Structures are given as structure tokens and as C-alpha cells.
Amino acid sequence: MIAMLMLLILKSGTVGADWSVTFENPNPCALKGSSVKFRFDSARYGWRSKKSVYLSVTELRARVHPESVRAGDNVTLECGTSCQISSAVWFKDGRPVAKPEFQAQTEDAGNYSCAVEGQELVLSDPVALNVQYPPLNVSTEVSHPGHLTLGSSVTLTCSSAANPAAHIYSWYKRRASPSSMIQVGSGQVLSLPSVEASHAGLYLCQARNPLGENNSTELLLTVDKTDGNRLILLVGIGVKVVILLFLPLCIIWTW
């Protein structure tokens, strides 16, 4: 009986000495905001592994090279972390980005964030891409469209999309003979406080920033050569004449 008990003790000790736990990744790394599950199963209590596991927690860092470009320049997106990641995916203002290298266009300006593929809910802090371009979509607007009357007032307003914003606006009017453009004003607004017959013609606006310039389409101003004030005066005189003619008849009829 004693011999049998010693044999069982020796056998248990021999088997127990061969038991061990092996970690597939002794130094796991996880992204901040993601989830990590550890589990160690044992049939007996009080057993511990001989080695420890160190968990690294890191954040994704999005980079844009360069951060400020001109339209047409190459841009590279980099997603950095101290962990080894399989592949990164990119988002611009919440929408997926096709590839991390591209030629910047005006619509590419915005905020970019990266994530690990398969863990798209854990995003890096956004980084901005600034795309600079010369004035585009230059347009003009007239305060009183249609025919203008002599002596009336009108303003022409110029607008454009540019980065940096257009800082120089120039107004030009086409001459009939010889056909050429002459500058008639500067600034974003061209004001004509008292319209004259010579103001009729084709106008355009030129917008400029440090990267270049662009012109609007030509705008036609037409002027009615009838003096608006004289017309109002004639209408007033006509009304008075009609009143003076019909007033005696009304008095006689009433009497």
C-alpha cells in the first residue's frame, strides 16, 4: 500500500513537471479604444505561468505629406503606430479614401483619419490637408438685370472660389473699335451711381490670387436712352392734364 502511494506521487510529479503554457505572442500590442481578451484555463488552482505577458497600448497617428499643397501636387498619407499593423484604411471627412497616394485636387481638401483594416471603428485623430488653387468659377452679378434707364444706379459684384482667397479684382469693358478690353474699375464691386448711354456694353471681372488669375464670362449691360426722370415728368404732366379736362365735366354733371 505504501509502495503504491509513493508510485502515484512520483507519477503525478513527473507529469506535472512537463506541464507548461506557451504564449503565441508574449508581447501583444493593442490600439487604444480596441478590445483585448486573455484566458488561462487550468484544472487546478494556484498554478501560474513562468513568464509574464506585457500588453502595449498605442494610438494611431495620421500624417499627410505635405500638409499644404497646390492642386496637381502629389500627396502621401501615412498611418503610424508602435504596433505592427496589417494594413491601414483611410477616411476623408468620414468617407473612404481609395488609395493613400494621389495627386491633390481642389475637392481633396479636408480632414483625414486612418484605421486598421478590420477595426474601422477605432480612428486616429484627424489631420487636415490644405489644397491651394487659383481663382475658379469667377462670376458676376448685376443688381438690376434687364434694361437700365438713364440716370439710374447699378452695381456689379464679382465672386470666385480660390485658396487663398482672391485679393485683387479688376473690371474690364470691351471697346467696339478697335475690339479690346479697357479697365474701368477695381475691387469686388463696380458701382455706376448714374447710368449714361456710354455705360452700355460688355463687362467682365478678373480675379487674382498669388497662384494665378481667371476671368468671368462677359456680361451685357443695355441702357434705354429714354431719360427715366423725363419720362416720369411727362407721365405726371399727362395725368394732371387729364384731371383738369375731366374735373369741370364732373362738376357740371353733378350740378
Side-chain angles (χ1 to χ4, degrees):
M1 185 66 179
I2 296 176
M4 182 64 71
L5 182 60
M6 291 297 294
L7 181 61
L8 291 174
I9 294 174
L10 290 174
K11 186 176 181 181
S12 300
T14 302
V15 174
D18 292 335
W19 288 359
S20 62
V21 177
T22 301
F23 297 105
E24 294 182 357
N25 184 6
N27 297 302
C29 185
L31 298 176
K32 182 179 179 181
S34 63
S35 60
V36 180
K37 296 180 181 177
F38 294 88
R39 191 175 75 173
F40 178 78
D41 294 331
S42 172
R44 298 179 181 232
Y45 296 101
W47 287 7
R48 300 173 57 187
S49 62
K50 294 181 180 180
K51 295 182 179 180
S52 300
V53 174
Y54 181 79
L55 173 63
S56 300
V57 179
T58 185
E59 294 183 271
L60 294 173
R61 296 182 300 275
R63 298 187 181 93
V64 177
H65 298 286
E67 294 183 356
S68 182
V69 297
R70 294 187 178 186
D73 290 349
N74 293 325
V75 174
T76 301
L77 306 177
E78 293 183 359
C79 192
T81 177
S82 58
C83 292
Q84 291 184 352
I85 58 178
S86 55
S87 60
V89 291
W90 285 89
F91 299 89
K92 172 187 170 290
D93 299 327
R95 297 182 178 181
V97 176
K99 52 185 179 179
E101 296 181 359
F102 53 89
Q103 283 188 327
Q105 303 300 324
T106 57
E107 61 272 14
D108 293 322
N111 295 316
Y112 288 79
S113 301
C114 67
V116 176
E117 188 175 6
Q119 302 182 50
E120 286 79 1
L121 295 180
V122 182
L123 292 172
S124 67
D125 291 334
V127 61
L129 172 63
N130 180 35
V131 181
Q132 298 183 338
Y133 51 94
L136 301 175
N137 303 324
V138 183
S139 62
T140 57
E141 182 179 356
V142 60
S143 59
H144 301 291
H147 292 276
L148 302 174
T149 58
L150 294 175
S152 62
S153 62
V154 66
T155 57
L156 306 179
T157 305
C158 186
S159 60
S160 67
N163 184 24
H167 63 291
I168 297 178
Y169 288 92
S170 302
W171 291 92
Y172 295 88
K173 181 176 181 293
R174 183 172 296 280
R175 294 192 301 183
S177 180
S179 180
S180 61
M181 304 298 294
I182 58 171
Q183 186 172 351
V184 293
S186 60
Q188 199 166 359
V189 176
L190 176 65
S191 178
L192 302 177
S194 181
V195 173
E196 301 177 1
S198 59
H199 289 149
L202 293 170
Y203 291 78
L204 66 80
C205 169
Q206 182 184 84
R208 179 183 301 175
N209 72 355
L211 301 182
E213 61 188 32
N214 207 345
N215 297 337
S216 68
T217 56
E218 295 183 355
L219 172 69
L220 177 63
L221 285 186
T222 57
V223 178
D224 188 348
K225 296 184 179 180
T226 303
D227 192 334
N229 295 329
R230 182 179 300 175
L231 180 61
I232 294 174
L233 179 61
L234 293 176
V235 171
I237 294 174
V239 171
K240 290 180 180 180
V241 170
V242 171
I243 293 175
L244 292 176
L245 288 176
F246 283 92
L247 184 59
L249 295 177
C250 292
I251 293 174
I252 294 172
W253 180 82
T254 303
W255 180 78

